Amino acid sequence: MVQTINKIRHSYGLSGLKPAYSLFVSAKLYSRHMMRSDYFGHMSRIPVASRWRTAGEALAWHSGWRLSPRQTVWQWMGSAPHRALLLSSRFTRIGVGRARGHYAGRSATMWTAHFGHR
């Protein structure tokens, strides 16, 4: 997923986002939290480590357990707020996490992408 996002960023003349371990951890934990809670949505504060001065978050879910990272990125690109986040020069780091389970009574995969700037 990070590679797909960076290819898109490069096509817009932007530098790629560098992976950040803590953002991968927070993204994975938030995806798991949403799945366990049968909840999909943003919290009032993005749950990332405090060392990130600025943080952004993109969420997605789809039915089934088949991984669809490219499809998810293209869905984000089709949404003005998500596209602005993916193409923001404000962020320099990224972490992505997913969780598989049951959401709203059916099998589902949830994705979280956390973006950060120190």
Side-chain angles (χ1 to χ4, degrees):
M1 183 175 272
V2 174
Q3 189 175 16
T4 302
I5 291 169
N6 280 337
K7 283 182 183 179
I8 293 169
R9 288 177 60 87
H10 288 298
S11 74
Y12 281 83
L14 299 167
S15 59
L17 298 168
K18 295 179 181 170
Y21 179 76
S22 71
L23 294 176
F24 277 95
V25 170
S26 64
K28 177 76 171 177
L29 290 174
Y30 193 61
S31 290
R32 285 181 178 173
H33 166 75
M34 288 190 297
M35 191 64 76
R36 278 193 315 268
S37 304
D38 202 34
Y39 167 79
F40 179 78
H42 300 282
M43 294 174 63
S44 59
R45 183 181 180 287
I46 299 171
V48 298
S50 61
R51 71 171 157 242
W52 300 103
R53 188 175 350 146
T54 307
E57 179 177 73
L59 305 175
W61 78 273
H62 62 79
S63 295
W65 292 346
R66 185 176 58 85
L67 298 179
S68 302
R70 283 189 202 136
Q71 179 183 346
T72 301
V73 171
W74 284 109
Q75 287 174 341
W76 284 335
M77 287 299 290
S79 158
H82 292 97
R83 183 176 53 252
L85 179 63
L86 269 62
L87 299 178
S88 174
S89 59
R90 182 180 196 181
F91 298 109
T92 57
R93 306 298 290 264
I94 188 171
V96 178
R98 64 161 170 81
R100 294 177 182 167
H102 290 89
Y103 173 65
R106 57 184 158 170
S107 62
T109 302
M110 289 197 179
W111 292 94
T112 302
H114 281 164
F115 300 81
H117 173 72
R118 290 184 187 170

